Amino acid sequence: EIVLTQSPATLSLSPGERATLSCRASQSVRSYLAWYQLKPGQAPRLLVFDATNRATGIPARFSGSGSGTDFTLTISSLEPEDFAVYYCLQRGHWPLLTFGGGTKVEI
Amino acid sequence: QVQLQESGPGLVEPSGTLSLTCTVFNYSISSGYYWGWIRQPPGKGLEWIGSLYHTGGTYYSPSLKSRVITSVDTSKNQFSLKLKSVTAADTAVYYCARFDEGGMRAFDVWGPGTMVTVSS
């Protein structure tokens, strides 16, 4: 079973700052990694798929990079609405899927 | 616009069976896509439970495989989750979602989630 390790667990930043979130896989998942944003009381929102592709309607300040085992989600300049918890999801070993443990981006 | 909606009891007794249904609106399940269940226990992260295809193929998390059954009812455009022998650790918000395996290879449409508490 593939394990996804997200770091840091918590990122304390201010609006306007750059956020860099990491997701590391225990085995290669090629480019089959997605990123989600989760806010209290809401369903997860797909931000990035296939490691680098922004989903429809996602602002350009969100970008994904990486392949194999190391992936990064970057938020270039944090907006107030970006403070949330972020999760990565791998489908590199389809049909078994795994979520990472999450990174909380807090003010 | 495709929409999903979870439904089912919000309270389940320990050792009982948790049963949830996801109704899909504005899209026929028989037309394709995989469909899945995900949960989030209070204060914890997201956990994939399992996925299924409209033709009946099912795939489960190894940690839950012994207790999970999923099924599709194409006549009602619904899919369902049954989790047996529940304990307090199964208390969570349960989401159903669509998995776009042929495109984005991610869960792209989600239901709002439903809270299920395991307690006597």
Side-chain angles (χ1 to χ4, degrees), chain B residues 47-119:
Chain B
E47 179 182 22
W48 173 67
I49 300 171
S51 301
L52 65 161
Y53 197 59
H54 69 90
T55 55
T58 56
Y59 316 94
Y60 303 134
S61 166
S63 64
L64 295 170
K65 186 176 183 178
S66 64
R67 299 194 292 129
V68 174
I69 298 175
T70 58
S71 60
V72 173
D73 186 338
T74 54
S75 68
K76 295 182 179 179
N77 219 38
Q78 296 175 333
F79 60 100
S80 299
L81 168 71
K82 290 188 186 298
L83 181 64
K84 303 180 293 184
S85 304
V86 296
T87 68
D90 295 308
T91 294
V93 176
Y94 285 76
Y95 297 98
C96 61
R98 183 180 79 173
F99 193 89
D100 183 15
E101 171 58 13
M104 289 183 281
R105 290 176 278 269
F107 290 110
D108 63 337
V109 182
W110 294 66
T114 188
M115 181 69 199
V116 179
T117 301
V118 178
S119 175

